[in-house]
Amino acid sequence: MTTQRDPNQVVIFDTTLRDGEQCPGATMNLHEKLEVARQLARLRVDVIEAGFPIASPGDYEAVRAIAEAVQGPTIAALARIKEADIERAGKAIEPAARRRIHTFSSGSDIHLEAMMRMTRAKNIEKSVAAVTFARSFTDDVEYSAQDTTRSDRSYLVDLYTAVAEAGATTLNVPDTVGYASPEEFGDLIAFLVASVKVPGVIFSVHCHNDLGLAVANSLAAVKAGARQVECTINGIGERAGNCSLEEVVMAMRTRGDAYQVFTGINTREIIRSSRLVSRMTGMVVQRNKAIVGANAFAHESGIHQDGMLKNRETYEIMVPEDVGLSGTELVLGKHSGRHALTNHLTQMGFTLSDEEMGRVYDAFKELCDKKKVVYDDDLIALVQDQSSDMPQVYQLGTVQVTTGTRAVPTATVTLRRDSEEMTDAACGDGPVDATFRVIDRITGVEGTLEDFSLQAITKGEDAVGEVSVRVRYGDSVINAKGSSTDIVEASAKAYINALNRYLFLKSHHELKEEQDVTVAEQP
Ligand code: KIV
Ligand code: ZN
């Protein structure tokens, strides 16, 4: 069971791979989910909610693979209050040393009547039966009633008391629609903690960010006695997302005086976790996002810079190193050997196979030819580019563009598929458009670009640029990224990554749309 060692410890329950993955376009395949889960273990989250096994065979396999491979955190699987869901969840988490079933129903009349078509009494009866059944698979069972912030409080007391008496060890209180204000939510948690008189249970909260209040609501809940917070890396999730892990954790740490609690999170892994999730989901992190945005620790104005030089504490409430941003960024260059690179990457926390290391070293040497100074952030992008074990159906060979004030932008692209090389050329509205058109022509798969953005990963004119694309293939929307010192090359890589991801998901029938319609609705 996920034991809370100290009454002031807040359990961090990460749902990036379940609620986070539910947001449009953020679908990850099994390999990507495994990479994220391994990173979450390095971040030392207490619980990883690995998925919703009944939703699709792909979800089941991913949860099972994570339960087999990832050591440390408790592995949780989501299940409705149905026997088939619970059985599937129980089977998926079987290989994990610590395992949890998270079963959920609803608390509000609008959900019970309109969606579940159930009376309040029937809901209690079925929830109790579900918890009892879940306990036959594990002694760590979490129960959630969706939409608590629009539910009748005295009914919530009856419901939570009944499931706790049936063996639920964590009682999760979701603000499913992101409706609560911090004052109200804190009050609701204090009321439930005082009214549900079953010893030993942990109260948990799960806040959505529709009004931008998910972190504030979670913190208010902690003040009122909640000792588990459900959150996601970069705050990704349904609609406006979930409570952001990095924000809630750093708030509790930086303002320990105000909250009087602590977490077991290794905060130095925060930046790496954020970048990895952004890369795997293709969801860009806004520059001014607290803690992990590119500007979060940048001091631009003269007065601020002056103060910082005299004493960092004048304008800095957190040390960048605490979240994993290294102060000494200049690392390696053209003359660094493979050994030095391996050592540095190990110090940064990467464990790469010999084959991955070979690819990373070749890419590093190529980067050194284009860029004088290689920063840690460049290395992170490079490792993440080279170490993904998702099958690459197409690979970029070369891309050349001709453009100018009077010339029609033309791109010539060579792609590789197994040992075959294919070259073609096309014109477009601009060099990037022309490049995407050639890729469509060579592969015979037509994508529609829905979103495109470019961010410089590091400083300077020779900075590595990271391109994020959102591409539609029929009914499916795929996010992907690519990086290079050359913008057109970065764009081509991102577009090819989107295509490879689409082809992979299609061949494994893992597309979200199919899951949603054919097997189970997502909560
Ligand atoms: O938002 C929600 O209510 C959920 C539950 C399944 C916890 O995601
Ligand atoms: Zn949710």
Side-chain angles (χ1 to χ4, degrees):
M1 203 192 302
T2 313
T3 40
Q4 186 203 8
R5 290 163 287 277
D6 181 305
N8 292 330
Q9 174 164 4
V10 174
V11 172
I12 297 297
F13 176 109
D14 181 278
T15 183
T16 306
L17 293 170
R18 200 277 298 167
D19 214 328
E21 209 239 357
Q22 272 173 231
C23 66
T27 315
M28 287 176 259
N29 63 41
L30 188 141
H31 308 278
E32 292 166 333
K33 285 182 183 174
L34 261 173
E35 280 194 50
V36 170
R38 289 200 179 101
Q39 178 57 28
L40 291 172
R42 283 195 284 269
L43 182 64
R44 290 202 220 116
V45 304
D46 301 286
V47 186
I48 295 175
E49 186 165 51
F52 185 23
I54 196 80
S56 74
D59 261 48
Y60 170 82
E61 275 161 32
V63 177
R64 180 123 186 144
I66 290 168
E68 267 161 15
V70 179
Q71 317 293 330
T74 296
I75 308 300
L78 187 69
R80 291 170 297 186
I81 47 167
K82 296 186 173 193
E83 279 209 356
D85 284 38
I86 293 167
E87 209 162 335
R88 196 99 174 114
K91 219 169 159 32
I93 56 170
E94 207 170 42
R98 280 195 276 265
R99 46 189 177 272
R100 175 181 295 189
I101 292 178
H102 175 192
T103 185
F104 73 98
S105 137
S106 274
S108 67
D109 289 335
I110 178 157
H111 275 213
L112 290 177
E113 283 159 20
M115 204 167 64
M116 301 177 73
R117 303 196 191 288
M118 221 188 265
T119 61
R120 287 183 177 188
K122 194 82 193 158
N123 186 37
I124 294 186
E125 188 190 312
K126 288 197 151 207
S127 297
V128 164
V131 167
T132 311
F133 186 49
R135 284 291 304 237
S136 66
F137 295 90
T138 169
D139 59 1
D140 188 348
V141 174
E142 172 170 333
Y143 175 82
S144 293
Q146 289 183 98
D147 205 18
T148 54
T149 51
R150 296 188 301 166
S151 304
D152 173 34
R153 283 185 172 199
S154 66
Y155 176 62
L156 287 181
V157 173
D158 293 346
L159 178 59
Y160 281 121
T161 305
V163 292
E165 280 169 351
T169 42
T170 301
L171 302 181
N172 184 38
V173 184
D175 181 20
T176 307
V177 291
Y179 179 70
S181 72
E183 297 74 21
E184 264 168 25
F185 197 57
D187 191 62
L188 173 64
I189 299 304
F191 168 77
L192 290 173
V193 169
S195 311
V196 178
K197 296 195 178 74
V198 182
V201 291
I202 292 183
F203 276 89
S204 163
V205 288
H206 175 108
C207 296
H208 278 272
N209 205 30
D210 300 66
L211 294 173
L213 293 171
V215 172
N217 286 341
S218 304
L219 290 170
V222 165
K223 272 214 129 176
R227 285 297 176 264
Q228 174 177 286
V229 171
E230 302 200 351
C231 43
T232 59
I233 302 290
N234 299 335
I236 65 169
E238 281 281 345
R239 307 182 308 279
N242 287 64
C243 170
S244 133
L245 180 146
E246 57 279 4
E247 291 179 25
V248 80
V249 165
M250 288 312 286
M252 287 189 269
R253 179 184 158 125
T254 310
R255 297 305 312 275
D257 59 327
Y259 296 106
Q260 308 279 335
V261 290
F262 67 95
T263 71
I265 292 293
N266 175 8
T267 61
R268 288 179 168 261
E269 291 293 331
I270 283 180
I271 293 287
R272 193 168 312 132
S273 308
S274 164
R275 305 255 159 92
L276 180 70
V277 168
S278 172
R279 199 166 192 82
M280 293 292 142
T281 58
M283 307 249 325
V284 182
V285 174
Q286 79 198 51
R287 288 193 84 81
N288 63 331
K289 161 106 171 54
I291 317 293
V292 291
N295 291 354
F297 291 90
H299 297 270
E300 203 62 48
S301 94
I303 295 179
H304 287 212
Q305 286 184 352
D306 181 53
M308 285 286 291
L309 288 173
K310 288 175 176 142
N311 179 345
R312 283 174 79 159
E313 281 181 28
T314 49
Y315 284 102
E316 207 166 70
I317 58 162
M318 291 168 281
V319 184
E321 287 81 352
D322 284 351
V323 297
L325 275 172
S326 83
T328 50
E329 284 180 313
L330 175 58
V331 285
L332 300 162
K334 208 177 164 101
H335 302 293
S336 313
R338 186 177 163 137
H339 189 62
L341 180 66
T342 312
N343 267 353
H344 192 80
L345 290 174
T346 310
Q347 266 172 26
M348 286 173 73
F350 289 111
T351 350
L352 300 176
S353 67
D354 274 357
E355 201 195 320
E356 282 169 336
M357 194 57 224
R359 286 203 300 267
V360 169
Y361 185 63
D362 290 345
F364 166 73
K365 282 284 169 191
E366 239 176 73
L367 184 62
C368 289
D369 283 339
K370 297 181 187 154
K371 206 171 177 293
K372 286 189 224 83
V373 174
V374 177
Y375 296 98
D376 279 1
D377 279 348
D378 293 326
L379 287 180
I380 293 174
L382 211 140
V383 169
Q384 288 171 356
D385 243 6
Q386 302 299 326
S387 63
S388 168
D389 50 0
M390 190 181 80
Q392 303 287 306
V393 182
Y394 291 100
Q395 279 178 309
L396 181 65
T398 55
V399 53
Q400 262 181 308
V401 289
T402 344
T403 185
T405 27
R406 294 223 170 77
V408 178
T410 312
T412 308
V413 175
T414 301
L415 295 186
R416 278 194 296 271
R417 185 180 178 148
D418 302 323
S419 53
E420 195 189 347
E421 282 209 340
M422 295 154 283
T423 303
D424 206 342
C427 301
D429 294 337
V432 171
D433 181 50
T435 304
F436 292 175
R437 285 193 193 184
V438 193
I439 296 171
D440 284 356
R441 257 165 71 156
I442 296 178
T443 60
V445 186
E446 202 166 318
T448 309
L449 187 67
E450 292 203 334
D451 204 2
F452 176 95
S453 67
L454 169 69
Q455 270 189 313
I457 294 183
T458 48
K459 299 178 276 248
E461 282 171 10
D462 58 359
V464 170
E466 185 168 69
V467 167
S468 307
V469 291
R470 187 176 163 89
V471 188
R472 175 174 289 280
Y473 301 94
D475 287 342
S476 317
V477 177
I478 308 282
N479 291 321
K481 289 187 175 199
S483 56
S484 167
T485 49
D486 179 286
I487 294 169
V488 177
E489 188 178 306
S491 309
K493 281 185 177 171
Y495 198 72
I496 294 167
N497 281 342
L499 175 65
N500 283 334
R501 181 183 282 233
Y502 167 68
L503 294 174
F504 181 83
L505 294 174
K506 195 170 154 219
S507 67
H508 284 73
H509 308 290
E510 279 184 5
L511 289 175
K512 205 77 189 163
E513 287 77 5
E514 289 171 22
Q515 293 174 14
D516 288 353
V517 181
T518 55
V519 191
E521 336 89 65
Q522 303 283 343

